[in-house]
Amino acid sequence: MTSKRTILVTGATGQQGGAVARILLSRGHSVKALTRRPDSNAARLLASAGANIVAGDLADTASVMDAAKGVDTMFLMGNSYEAGMEEETRQGIIAADAAKAAGIGHLIYSSVADADKKTGIPHFESKYLVEQHVIGLGIPYTISAPVAFMENFVAPWSIGALAQGTLAFALPAKRPLQLVALADIGAFVTALAERRESVFGKRFDFAGDELSGEEQARILSQAIGRPIAYQEIPITVARQQSEDAAAMFEWFDRVGYDVDIAGLHGDFPEVRWHSFADWAKAFDWSVLEQAPSAG
């Protein structure tokens, strides 16, 4: 019988934090959801699912410490897209210090796969700085490090093209990329919280599937029910949008994630891992009808 935990989830109204909170709740754990937007629809949905919504800000030590009262585990994540990379690092360090001061018994920090491999990708490096700080705090910790999200295919920057029948990505069509579903991130973090002592001091890179852009397009065509063509975006175009993203795509092409997927899934059988086909088949593609034009 798994011990029921009381867990503080940061970023709880976002994609990743929301997935973690929902699966923790479904497993019978108590969840405190820390958010700067307690009146948002996402916060109301979490509250209706049983979460205790707590207003707070990662940059405010007092609010994090207050939220951490009576909590035995904390899931800490940042968002470089929202806060900027320097601010993400600063907030992560402040929140980790607050977790230690509050006496948190297990800090799970969400980084990114291979952030510890000197990738040179700015938003990987910003997370690794927080990792190093967490490791140096002398408290029980685990690093949760997912690869790219399957849900990126329906993110605002990609859904317009997809609605028009194009999967556009700045990688060669045959280059494999490891992916993970948000639901699997939630389930994996839940497994870490439940395993507790056996994962202290460990770092886990994790993925659900690995496939090329061509293979992704073929699976999406089947799931959506109309042809989806893969289109390679030139790296020069990606760089005009974002130097950070261009550095990531170049690293994907040159090196790439290297999770031992079969070994990982064998080690964590309690996670009901989704292949890309599983995810695509279950996704509600009616969102494409509301998607803005890519033009």
Side-chain angles (χ1 to χ4, degrees):
M1 185 70 188
T2 302
S3 297
K4 298 307 175 191
R5 301 280 169 210
T6 302
I7 301 169
L8 176 62
V9 176
T10 69
T13 52
Q15 282 198 117
Q16 185 181 172
V20 169
R22 285 190 296 274
I23 293 183
L24 285 167
L25 288 165
S26 75
R27 294 276 296 164
H29 299 290
S30 296
V31 170
K32 274 189 172 182
L34 184 71
T35 177
R36 288 180 289 116
R37 296 181 286 271
D39 298 326
S40 66
N41 283 334
R44 281 194 285 270
L45 285 170
L46 276 179
S48 67
N52 176 14
I53 307 300
V54 182
D57 192 318
L58 291 184
D60 178 3
T61 301
S63 74
V64 176
M65 286 188 65
D66 192 48
K69 287 176 182 171
V71 163
D72 56 53
T73 306
M74 178 174 172
F75 173 72
L76 174 60
M77 61 162 290
N79 186 334
S80 61
Y81 298 108
E82 205 170 276
M85 282 163 280
E86 286 185 15
E87 183 62 12
E88 177 193 21
T89 299
R90 191 182 78 86
Q91 289 181 6
I93 288 171
I94 289 170
D97 286 344
K100 179 177 181 176
I104 292 286
H106 185 196
L107 177 60
I108 301 172
Y109 176 64
S110 178
S111 182
V112 60
D114 290 313
D116 58 340
K117 304 271 180 67
K118 296 185 170 64
T119 64
I121 303 164
H123 78 272
F124 283 38
E125 301 294 338
S126 61
K127 289 177 172 59
Y128 187 54
L129 289 171
V130 182
E131 274 190 57
Q132 291 176 299
H133 187 79
V134 166
I135 291 166
L137 284 175
I139 63 175
Y141 75 89
T142 309
I143 306 299
S144 168
V147 297
F149 301 171
M150 293 180 187
E151 280 75 7
N152 286 347
F153 292 94
V154 290
W157 59 84
S158 54
I159 196 168
L162 194 62
Q164 294 183 328
T166 302
L167 173 60
F169 210 63
L171 276 181
K174 296 186 184 300
R175 175 71 64 235
L177 179 66
Q178 293 188 340
L179 301 167
V180 68
L182 283 169
D184 292 354
I185 297 176
F188 190 78
V189 170
T190 298
L192 296 179
E194 292 177 350
R195 292 191 180 198
R196 203 167 173 85
E197 289 84 0
S198 68
V199 298
F200 284 176
K202 295 183 179 179
R203 185 184 202 282
F204 294 96
D205 288 10
F206 63 100
D209 204 353
E210 179 174 14
L211 64 175
S212 70
E214 278 184 345
E215 292 167 322
Q216 294 158 17
R218 187 168 63 249
I219 288 168
L220 289 172
S221 297
Q222 292 167 350
I224 296 169
R226 62 175 186 261
I228 302 295
Y230 185 81
Q231 179 184 335
E232 180 181 354
I233 299 172
I235 198 69
T236 51
V237 174
R239 183 164 283 110
Q240 288 168 3
Q241 300 294 318
S242 165
E243 282 285 351
D244 176 44
M248 180 180 68
F249 291 127
E250 287 176 326
W251 182 83
F252 282 165
D253 190 23
R254 190 178 69 252
V255 183
Y257 298 123
D258 59 356
V259 175
D260 173 4
I261 293 176
L264 172 86
H265 292 189
D267 290 342
F268 285 85
E270 67 267 47
V271 177
R272 296 176 62 186
W273 297 99
H274 291 75
S275 67
F276 186 67
D278 293 336
W279 173 81
K281 188 176 180 181
F283 191 80
D284 179 6
W285 292 105
S286 67
V287 296
L288 294 182
E289 294 161 22
Q290 287 86 47
S293 169

